[in-house]
Amino acid sequence: MKRQAFTLVELLVVIAIIGILVSLLLPAVQAAREAARRMQCTNNLKQLGLATHNYMSAHSRLPLCLNGTNKPLSVHAYLLPFMEQTALYNLVDFKTSWNSPTNLVAMGTSVPTFMCPSQPTGALPAGRAATNYRANQGSQLLFRNSPTVSSDPNFGMPAPNGVFISDRSLRDSEITDGLSNTAAFSEHPLADFNNAAVSKYDTFRPGTYPNTPDEAVQQCLAVDPTNLAMQGVSDVGAPWLQAYHSTTQYFHVAAPNSRSCMFPPGRIATSASSYHTGGVVVSMCDGSVDFFSDSVEIAVWRATGSRNGGEVVSRN
C-alpha cells in the first residue's frame, strides 16, 4: 500500500499555523509574567507598609527622615529591623552621613524587598545598592521645612505635608486624614546614572521658580527632555541609604508616571512612576496596598499624599 506524504505546501501551512498560534500566545505569556511581577512588587510595598506600621507600634512615631541635615539617612534604613534585616541595620552608622566610610558596606548591600522585579537589570555605580520604592513627602513643593527667616526665597511657602518630612518624626495622631487615606510609599524606576545621556526617569531641572504645584507641573512638562542642559539628577534610585528627593523620596505634586523635576531653591516635584501598565502601586500608612491609575484625578492623588489636608478621598 502506497503511503501519502506531506506536500511542501501542507508543511508550510502547518508551520504558518504554529507561528500564528505562538504569536497569539506570546502576549498572554508576557502579560502573565508582568502580572506576577506586579504581584511581587505589591507584596514588597506591603512589607514596607507593615514594617512602617510595626515601627510606629514600637516607637509611637514614624521613622525619622534626615533629609535636611548633614546626615541624610533614609527612612529605609530605620525600617530594616522590621523587615528581618537586623544584621544590615547593625552595619549602618546613624551618627554620620550615608556616604561616610563607616557606611560603605551598608550602602552597597542589596535588599531584595527594595527592588521591583519589573525593573530591568542595569549598570549601577559600584558600591551603591538601589531601591524602587520611595517615601511620601507630600503634595507641596518644599523638600525641607518652611524657613522662618523672611529673607529666605522659600519664606511663606507651604510646609511639606506628607508623612516622611525633613527632620521630624511624626506621631500617627498627626496623620489626621487617617492612616488608610494617606500614602506612605510608592514606586520609581532607576535612571541611567549618566548626565551625558537621556533617561525618562531622570530628574530634570527647568530652572524656573514655581510657586504652586500646578505651576510646577506645567513648567516640568514644558522641558525638552532631549536637551542635556535640562538634566538635573541622573543618579536616580541609588543608594537606598540616602534620604534624597531623587533616591528615596517622592511627591504627590504631579500625577503617577509624570516627569520628575527639581527647581531652585529646593522646590521639588519628583513623581511616583513604574513599569506597570497604567499606574503605580502605593502602600498606605495603615499597611494596605492600592493601585492608582495614571488617570486618577489630581485632587485625589494630592489628597492621598497629604496627611492633614482634611480632604475626602474617594477613589471609586
Side-chain angles (χ1 to χ4, degrees):
M1 181 177 178
K2 187 177 180 180
R3 292 185 179 180
Q4 187 172 0
F6 284 112
T7 67
L8 179 60
V9 172
E10 289 172 328
L11 184 59
L12 291 175
V13 169
V14 170
I15 292 173
I17 292 173
I18 293 173
I20 292 171
L21 292 175
V22 170
S23 67
L24 292 173
L25 182 62
L26 188 58
V29 172
Q30 292 174 333
R33 287 177 176 174
E34 172 52 27
R37 289 192 291 263
R38 176 173 154 181
M39 185 178 297
Q40 181 59 52
C41 190
T42 299
N43 183 63
N44 289 347
L45 280 161
K46 179 76 171 179
Q47 296 307 310
L48 275 168
L50 291 175
T52 302
H53 210 58
N54 291 335
Y55 185 102
M56 283 195 289
S57 297
H59 298 281
S60 300
R61 293 178 179 274
L62 284 163
L64 185 62
C65 183
L66 291 174
N67 65 9
T69 71
N70 59 358
K71 299 184 296 184
L73 296 172
S74 69
V75 169
H76 301 57
Y78 290 89
L79 292 179
L80 290 172
F82 301 90
M83 302 174 62
E84 299 183 352
Q85 292 287 341
T86 302
L88 179 55
Y89 175 82
N90 291 334
L91 293 177
V92 179
D93 183 356
F94 289 91
K95 297 179 181 178
T96 185
S97 181
W98 61 273
N99 58 353
S100 72
T102 54
N103 275 325
L104 293 182
V105 174
M107 184 174 67
T109 302
S110 297
V111 180
T113 308
F114 289 166
M115 296 301 299
C116 177
S118 295
Q119 171 69 52
T121 56
L124 275 171
R128 294 195 176 193
T131 181
N132 285 134
Y133 307 122
R134 298 189 181 188
N136 166 34
Q137 197 166 350
S139 60
Q140 296 296 342
L141 295 177
L142 288 188
F143 180 50
R144 297 187 173 93
N145 290 322
S146 298
T148 56
V149 180
S150 59
S151 60
D152 192 296
N154 286 329
F155 182 78
M157 294 283 290
N161 61 357
V163 294
F164 299 110
I165 60 176
S166 180
D167 306 330
R168 282 195 60 196
S169 183
L170 299 175
R171 296 183 180 276
D172 58 3
S173 59
E174 295 180 80
I175 306 174
T176 56
D177 287 350
L179 300 181
S180 62
N181 294 324
T182 308
F185 292 90
S186 191
E187 310 176 79
H188 196 101
L190 307 186
D192 56 11
F193 301 90
N194 180 9
N195 265 25
V198 174
S199 165
K200 65 181 292 186
Y201 299 115
D202 289 341
T203 303
F204 295 90
R205 193 193 306 268
T208 55
Y209 294 79
N211 291 308
T212 67
D214 286 341
E215 287 183 5
V217 171
Q218 294 167 2
Q219 294 166 14
C220 188
L221 289 176
V223 166
D224 176 6
T226 64
N227 183 354
L228 294 180
M230 297 291 102
Q231 293 269 309
V233 177
S234 293
D235 291 359
V236 170
W240 60 260
L241 190 59
Q242 181 188 20
Y244 188 53
H245 60 69
S246 292
T247 304
T248 52
Q249 293 168 267
Y250 80 103
F251 289 68
H252 281 249
V253 171
N257 284 307
S258 296
R259 184 178 296 155
S260 290
C261 285
M262 56 193 295
F263 308 86
R267 303 175 193 181
I268 307 299
T270 52
S271 302
S273 55
S274 77
Y275 283 107
H276 311 308
T277 302
V280 296
V281 183
V282 177
S283 173
M284 309 300 284
C285 288
D286 66 346
S288 64
V289 180
D290 207 346
F291 187 80
F292 284 78
S293 73
D294 296 343
S295 59
V296 62
E297 292 183 21
I298 192 63
V300 172
W301 180 245
R302 289 175 180 170
T304 306
S306 163
R307 72 178 186 276
N308 57 0
E311 310 95 340
V312 177
V313 178
S314 176
R315 297 192 288 276
N316 298 327

